[in-house]
Amino acid sequence: MPETQNTQPNDTKPETAETKVRRALEANPGTTAAKLASAAGVGRSTATKILSRWANEGVVTRTTGKDQSVPVTWTITTTVQEAEAAPGDADEGIADSSPTTDLDSHDTTGQATPEVPTADTPKQERLPKGALYELVREFLHEHPGEEFGPVKIGTELSRSSGAVNNALEKLVTNGVATKTCEAPKRFTSS
């Protein structure tokens, strides 16, 4: 008997890392990036990068612990949750003519997902004092035994490599990180 092939088109798009992280964050508010990455099935650095970008956009809130031993946790901002819960223009029969991206529509589970910034998106506000230090510390903590340069960490966190280098040097001074190589600069968690 000859095999038959399924000729129906497959209209479902593969789920993006952002969608997975968003769903994990909605299910687990107040969770660390490492736990969110595990729940979402993505790498820790990917989740951290996404969360950092969302924090800059105001989509999530980053809560630092009282000291360096308490990990950073992430929660979706209240204003975003309220905006998604409020009836939109489409519910009132008013057409929205703004262009859409894969992430400002609903994913396959029907959950609303955050917008992806475009090249035209204006830069977000600066991080509060000490926030980059905590982001870099968390990044190193999530990658124990691995060595990174300021450029790689800056790329992963969507931050200036110079600012990241300053945070890394401060982490070394505070005994939280170790500089493993002077040229090219490499750091690891202590």
Side-chain angles (χ1 to χ4, degrees):
M1 178 186 284
E3 291 186 32
T4 60
Q5 294 181 345
N6 184 358
T7 58
Q8 293 181 343
N10 185 359
D11 292 335
T12 59
K13 295 179 182 176
E15 200 172 33
T16 65
E18 286 88 357
T19 304
K20 292 176 184 178
V21 171
R22 175 63 181 247
R23 189 172 339 115
L25 187 57
E26 287 172 341
N28 305 291
T31 306
T32 65
K35 289 180 182 176
L36 289 170
S38 178
V42 300
R44 284 183 289 183
S45 63
T46 301
T48 301
K49 184 176 180 180
I50 291 167
L51 290 165
S52 296
R53 186 177 68 240
W54 288 350
N56 291 334
E57 297 166 5
V59 174
V60 298
T61 303
R62 181 180 185 279
T63 306
T64 58
K66 61 183 176 185
D67 61 29
Q68 294 177 357
S69 66
V70 179
V72 172
T73 59
W74 302 88
T75 307
I76 297 173
T77 59
T78 305
T79 54
V80 172
Q81 291 171 336
E82 290 170 357
E84 289 174 353
D89 292 339
D91 294 337
E92 298 170 15
I94 301 171
D96 180 13
S97 61
S98 63
T100 60
T101 64
D102 288 343
L103 293 179
D104 64 343
S105 59
H106 292 336
D107 66 17
T108 56
T109 63
Q111 297 293 319
T113 54
E115 290 186 27
V116 175
T118 63
D120 299 331
T121 303
K123 284 235 174 208
Q124 297 297 319
E125 293 180 336
R126 294 173 57 130
L127 289 174
K129 185 173 182 167
L132 183 59
Y133 176 93
E134 289 298 322
L135 280 173
V136 173
R137 184 191 63 77
E138 182 178 326
F139 181 88
L140 289 176
H141 179 74
E142 290 176 355
H143 299 88
E146 294 181 50
E147 296 180 0
F148 298 94
V151 173
K152 175 66 175 169
I153 296 173
T155 301
E156 290 293 323
L157 299 177
S158 300
R159 294 287 164 196
S160 153
S161 61
V164 168
N165 182 64
N166 293 342
L168 287 164
E169 293 292 348
K170 191 179 237 183
L171 286 165
V172 170
T173 301
N174 293 340
V176 178
T178 303
K179 185 186 285 188
T180 58
C181 185
E182 186 64 38
K185 289 184 179 182
R186 294 288 179 257
F187 299 85
T188 188
S189 60
S190 292

